[in-house]
């Protein structure tokens, strides 16, 4: 589906990023593999080459503009062009807000949110230089859609990424570029920080299959997520943009955009007292759930 395409995948030395890089290469694309770990990046490049694909590594932390420019330059230097940017790189510094330092907060946003911005900006500039056309897939997380205890920094970054995808989709449409957020659910090291999934992650890393009850509930492996990415990068998804699409296990989801769930009007405006009068009956029934939807099967 991606023959002749050139794709950058940030943070692709391990986990979901590795699965993404291997999948797009298997679909025919040349890949720029990025990671801060040179050995991990080299392993993925070697795996792709061994399978008959083409890949080069760029070892650098995502966030700075210089890294984003280097990733685009590597694609052009080695493969002649850039067709897609997948902004997957990230890290965790999990702590409850009272224990979270400025550094914990800033580092997570620097990598996830600023890294997505700088890489998307660099890719869009290259797409325009090439005459238009291209794909941006920004990697979100359920943590950005619902509460994720101990992850104020990560949740804020991932929510921002989904918002960024919608705005970039509007800005890039005139250049024939699609922009979507992919919201994966996979049993990786990041998910292992959630107590309900820790045992399942350990089992999968030991080589066990994901239990069918978890797969049916929308939880699987990194490899289960990659087909949605390949689809979004292909011509088949030319009309799909500005969306937040989830995948995990056996399930694909379309996330809603924020929308008004209920509204009440009062001529002349509101006082605190008048709000208190109408809120219980007219607005309270429409309040939204905010806690994560963790499958009960994960705790068994």
């Amino acid at each position: 589906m991606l023959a002749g395409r050139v794709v950058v995948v940030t943070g692709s030395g391990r986990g979901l990023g590795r699965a993404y890089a291997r999948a797009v290469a298997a679909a025919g694309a040349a890949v720029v593999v990025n990671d801060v770990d040179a050995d991990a990046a080299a392993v993925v490049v070697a795996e792709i080459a061994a399978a008959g694909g083409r890949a080069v590594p760029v070892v650098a932390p995502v966030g700075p503009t210089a890294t984003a420019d280097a990733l685009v330059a590597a694609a052009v230097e080695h493969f002649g062009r850039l067709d897609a940017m997948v902004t997957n790189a990230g890290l965790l510094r999990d702590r409850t807000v009272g224990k979270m330092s400025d550094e914990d907060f800033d580092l997570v946003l620097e990598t996830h949110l600023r890294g997505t911005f700088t890489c998307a900006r660099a890719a869009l500039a290259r797409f325009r230089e090439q005459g238009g056309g291209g794909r941006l897939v920004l990697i979100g997380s359920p943590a950005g859609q619902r509460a994720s205890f101990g992850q104020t920094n990560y949740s804020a970054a991932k929510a921002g990424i989904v918002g960024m995808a919608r705005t970039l989709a509007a800005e890039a449409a005139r250049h024939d570029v699609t922009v979507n957020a992919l919201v994966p659910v996979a049993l990786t090291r990041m998910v292992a920080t959630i107590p309900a999934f820790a045992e399942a992650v350990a089992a999968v890393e030991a080589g066990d299959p994901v239990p069918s009850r978890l797969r049916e509930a929308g939880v699987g492996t990194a490899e289960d997520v990659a087909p949605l990415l390949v689809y979004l990068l292909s011509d088949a998804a030319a009309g799909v943009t500005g969306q937040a699409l989830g995948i995990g296990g056996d399930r694909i989801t379309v996330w809603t955009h924020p929308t008004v769930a209920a509204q009440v009007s009062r001529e002349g405006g509101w006082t605190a007292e008048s709000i208190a009068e109408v809120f219980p009956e007219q607005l309270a029934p429409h309040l939204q759930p905010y806690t994560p939807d963790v499958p009960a099967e994960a705790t068994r």
Side-chain angles (χ1 to χ4, degrees):
M1 293 182 79
L2 303 179
R5 307 289 175 87
V6 180
V7 181
V8 172
V9 183
T10 69
S12 47
R14 292 185 176 86
L16 281 164
R18 174 175 174 264
Y20 297 151
R22 286 162 53 99
V24 297
V31 187
V32 176
V33 174
N34 159 254
D35 207 273
V36 293
D37 185 329
D39 292 338
V43 167
V44 176
V45 169
E47 289 173 340
I48 291 172
R54 298 183 298 159
V56 295
V58 173
V59 179
V62 166
T65 295
T67 296
D69 291 343
L71 292 169
V72 173
V76 175
E77 177 184 352
H78 292 278
F79 305 119
R81 60 182 291 109
L82 176 69
D83 296 289
M85 173 72 73
V86 181
T87 60
N88 170 74
L91 48 77
L92 295 178
R93 291 295 184 271
D94 291 356
R95 290 174 178 81
T96 55
V97 69
K99 298 178 180 178
M100 186 175 291
S101 68
D102 291 354
E103 291 76 15
D104 293 331
F105 188 85
D106 291 346
L107 183 59
V108 169
L109 265 71
E110 168 73 13
T111 304
H112 287 278
L113 193 57
R114 183 181 175 85
T116 295
F117 161 68
T118 56
C119 288
R121 181 178 60 185
L124 286 168
R126 179 62 195 179
F127 295 157
R128 290 194 296 270
E129 186 177 341
Q130 291 172 171
R135 298 283 189 272
L136 291 179
V137 177
L138 317 183
I139 305 302
S141 167
Q145 309 294 92
R146 296 284 184 91
S148 187
F149 191 90
Q151 292 190 317
T152 299
N153 46 10
Y154 183 69
S155 294
K158 288 302 188 180
I161 285 169
V162 174
M164 189 185 300
R166 288 191 291 266
T167 294
L168 290 180
E171 292 184 358
R174 59 180 174 167
H175 300 294
D176 194 27
V177 175
T178 67
V179 187
N180 292 286
L182 193 161
V183 182
V185 180
L187 295 170
T188 65
R189 289 186 303 167
M190 280 193 170
V191 173
T193 63
I194 302 173
F197 290 115
E199 185 176 336
V201 171
V204 168
E205 289 184 343
D208 295 339
V210 179
S212 59
R213 65 182 185 275
L214 280 181
R215 294 190 58 84
E216 292 167 3
V219 182
T221 66
E223 287 70 26
D224 291 321
V225 174
L228 179 56
L229 174 66
V230 173
Y231 166 74
L232 289 173
L233 298 183
S234 74
D235 289 339
V240 181
T241 192
Q243 303 303 306
L245 303 172
I247 185 169
D250 298 337
R251 180 183 296 172
I252 293 177
T253 56
V254 177
W255 285 88
T256 60
H257 300 315
T259 186
V260 175
Q263 60 185 16
V264 180
S265 297
R266 180 175 183 270
E267 186 176 353
W270 293 90
T271 64
E273 291 77 13
S274 61
I275 294 172
E277 289 177 6
V278 304
F279 202 97
E281 291 187 4
Q282 298 191 49
L283 296 176
H286 302 282
L287 296 180
Q288 304 294 293
Y290 66 93
T291 53
D293 186 16
V294 176
E297 292 84 350
T299 62
R300 296 175 185 170

